Amino acid sequence: MILQKRRSPLATRTPRLPHVRPADPPRRRHRLRAVTVLVLALAAIAGVAVLALPSDAGRRTGAPRPAAGAGAGHLRRTPADAWRHAARLDFAAWPARGRRTGDAALLARALRAWTGPAWRGRRSVEPGVPAGGRGTSARLLFADDVDGRAVVLLQDGVHTVRYSEPLRGGRPELAAALTKGADVATAAAVVVARSPRSVRLLLAPWIATAAVRDLRAPAATPHAVARDDDGVTEPVAVTPAGGPCRRVPAVQLHASARSSEDHAFLLADLGGLVPARLTYLPDAQPGTLPRPPREAAGEPGMGGWAASACRLAGLRGQGVRSIGRWVFAAQTLPERAGTATWVCIRADTWRGTGSAEYLFLAPGGTGARVLARDRDTAQCGGSGRNVLAYTGWRAPSGTAYLLAAGSRAVTRLEVAPPVRGTGGGRFLATPAPSGRPVLVTGRLPDGTRIDPPLSPGGP
């Protein structure tokens, strides 16, 4: 049956032999040779057709296959309990869930939408995602009806894809995100449905509990999030795009004790397919060893994010994987005015690029002043821990000061004219007329000079 489908049309036709007259032997031999050549050519074409068939045609294997040429039956599926024994928890440990995982027609439409360059539905891809599929086999994560749409989630090892179509007329949609290298936290949830003020999430099978927290009100009681047997949550509130920053909801998830990762973490919706992970890093004193970022779900992390949460709105639609809040300095202010906090917010994308935003938080303030921004930088990350920033500040007495602070390895700060000053450490506070442009530089113990990212006020 397979050979009949793949056979060349020429192979189904019987060649018409030419009429040969017995009285002309030379011409007859010539025509017989021509017929022989034609038959051999047809046999070669049929052989090519047979060789073109996949070697495992009709069989399901776990080996990668071209998704564009395979049907829904060749989608990879993970066993339901695989996550309990996996050495690494990521999207490969997700089982196929939902009541329509056996709907071959729906799955085939989802595959065509992802791999077919001529597909004409509404397509939304995040930065770093190609216009069409990679061409390798995909894993089925979910297929079911959600909020009036049939939804299919696919994952090919590099991208996560959501295909959806209305149950009663309308245009199908496809959203794709780069998710290569996901881990227990960044592979913990995928958006299966979105409205202007809420989302429904499909949670990873290793998630034991889920709750909504308001980053601007860390002391408020978390609101538990219900989910169905397949892991789809009730509508979860999100910050409306372009709206006022009154509340900044984040989802707090706790991994099951039956997994290799028994801890809680925070995810923030940035308008994409996969929420971004939130971390924090407190100020480290000189002489102490650097520590990796910590999950922001605890009290110190939530308390720190309260004053910086509104900065998340500027990261929407950029394919952000994780966002870290690093307090790189805490400075005692002149005239006994309290302690100011110097913060760097670093956003790392799934593409491997990162950006940094420097903030100044005055004591008692509820908002953060943006000092500078740096794009496509390693600053404020694991390989860019030597930073400094500066700003103007007015004391309660009315005196204007120039303040500057560096990270823990900075040993000296210098100010160029028209304001002169030197700090024999990582902090500087000197009276200075407000509005005058200045340049502050820093020195490391070996004399290496470091510069601020941009002038105060940002771009």
Side-chain angles (χ1 to χ4, degrees):
M1 192 64 185
I2 295 177
L3 293 178
Q4 290 177 358
K5 292 182 179 179
R6 300 296 300 269
R7 186 183 302 161
S8 168
L10 294 176
T12 63
R13 300 177 185 174
T14 303
R16 298 181 60 186
L17 298 179
H19 181 68
V20 180
R21 289 179 298 177
D24 191 359
R27 182 177 296 178
R28 180 174 59 186
R29 288 193 297 270
H30 176 73
R31 290 179 176 176
L32 286 175
R33 284 196 297 269
V35 170
T36 301
V37 171
L38 176 60
V39 171
L40 291 175
L42 292 175
I45 293 173
V48 170
V50 172
L51 292 174
L53 290 173
S55 60
D56 59 348
R59 295 188 291 113
R60 290 185 59 183
T61 71
R65 298 173 51 87
H74 291 291
L75 284 170
R76 290 182 291 172
R77 301 173 186 236
T78 300
D81 61 345
W83 66 271
R84 293 187 174 93
H85 317 289
R88 175 182 170 82
L89 293 179
D90 56 18
F91 285 115
W94 279 44
R97 291 174 287 174
R99 294 169 297 179
R100 299 189 68 173
T101 55
D103 190 335
L106 172 64
L107 302 183
R109 291 194 295 274
L111 276 172
R112 285 196 297 270
W114 172 228
T115 61
W119 185 72
R120 296 183 176 275
R122 184 181 293 111
R123 189 185 299 269
S124 173
V125 297
E126 296 181 17
V129 179
R134 296 174 62 230
T136 57
S137 65
R139 185 184 308 276
L140 177 62
L141 304 183
F142 177 80
D144 207 339
D145 298 338
V146 182
D147 293 345
R149 299 182 72 89
V151 178
V152 177
L153 291 183
L154 304 174
Q155 221 281 337
D156 63 9
V158 176
H159 311 93
T160 299
V161 178
R162 182 187 66 217
Y163 170 82
S164 68
E165 60 184 29
L167 299 180
R168 293 183 178 83
R171 192 177 183 187
E173 299 180 359
L174 183 126
L178 189 66
T179 55
K180 183 179 180 180
D183 55 23
V184 62
T186 51
V190 177
V191 176
V192 292
R194 179 181 295 278
S195 71
R197 294 186 176 274
S198 67
V199 296
R200 288 187 189 267
L201 301 172
L202 177 64
L203 301 182
W206 57 82
I207 297 302
T209 62
V212 175
R213 306 286 303 270
D214 181 3
L215 293 180
R216 300 210 66 193
T221 302
H223 169 70
V225 175
R227 51 180 161 163
D228 64 20
D229 293 339
D230 289 322
V232 178
T233 69
E234 63 180 321
V236 175
V238 297
T239 304
C245 184
R246 297 191 181 96
R247 296 180 65 248
V248 182
V251 179
Q252 179 175 295
L253 304 178
H254 197 286
S256 169
R258 302 174 67 179
S259 71
S260 59
E261 301 282 350
D262 182 10
H263 65 275
F265 37 85
L266 277 179
L267 301 180
D269 176 73
L270 298 179
L273 191 58
V274 179
R277 181 184 194 175
L278 299 181
T279 64
Y280 84 102
L281 192 63
D283 181 30
Q285 298 301 317
T288 60
L289 295 175
R291 300 186 62 180
R294 309 172 192 179
E295 302 296 345
E299 182 177 344
M302 285 287 298
W305 269 106
S308 312
C310 293
R311 307 308 308 166
L312 295 176
L315 298 172
R316 295 179 64 89
Q318 298 182 24
V320 174
R321 172 179 179 167
S322 63
I323 309 166
R325 182 185 187 274
W326 175 35
V327 178
F328 67 88
Q331 181 179 16
T332 301
L333 296 176
E335 303 182 17
R336 299 181 179 180
T339 301
T341 305
W342 302 80
V343 176
C344 187
I345 303 292
R346 178 174 174 84
D348 287 297
T349 71
W350 290 98
R351 307 182 302 282
T353 60
S355 62
E357 187 174 67
Y358 296 78
L359 310 176
F360 176 80
L361 283 74
T366 57
R369 183 194 306 174
V370 180
L371 305 180
R373 298 184 180 96
D374 219 349
R375 305 297 183 190
D376 296 327
T377 180
Q379 290 300 300
C380 301
S383 60
R385 294 296 188 194
N386 297 323
V387 301
L388 68 86
Y390 62 96
T391 186
W393 173 78
R394 189 171 296 278
S397 66
T399 303
Y401 286 85
L402 172 67
L403 302 179
S407 53
R408 66 191 187 96
V410 176
T411 58
R412 186 178 180 84
L413 295 175
E414 302 170 348
V415 185
V419 178
R420 293 184 178 274
T422 300
R426 62 183 183 131
F427 298 110
L428 177 68
T430 182
S434 59
R436 298 287 297 273
V438 296
L439 177 62
V440 179
T441 59
R443 298 286 176 178
L444 300 179
D446 62 358
T448 301
R449 169 176 164 167
I450 61 172
D451 297 299
L454 289 172
S455 61

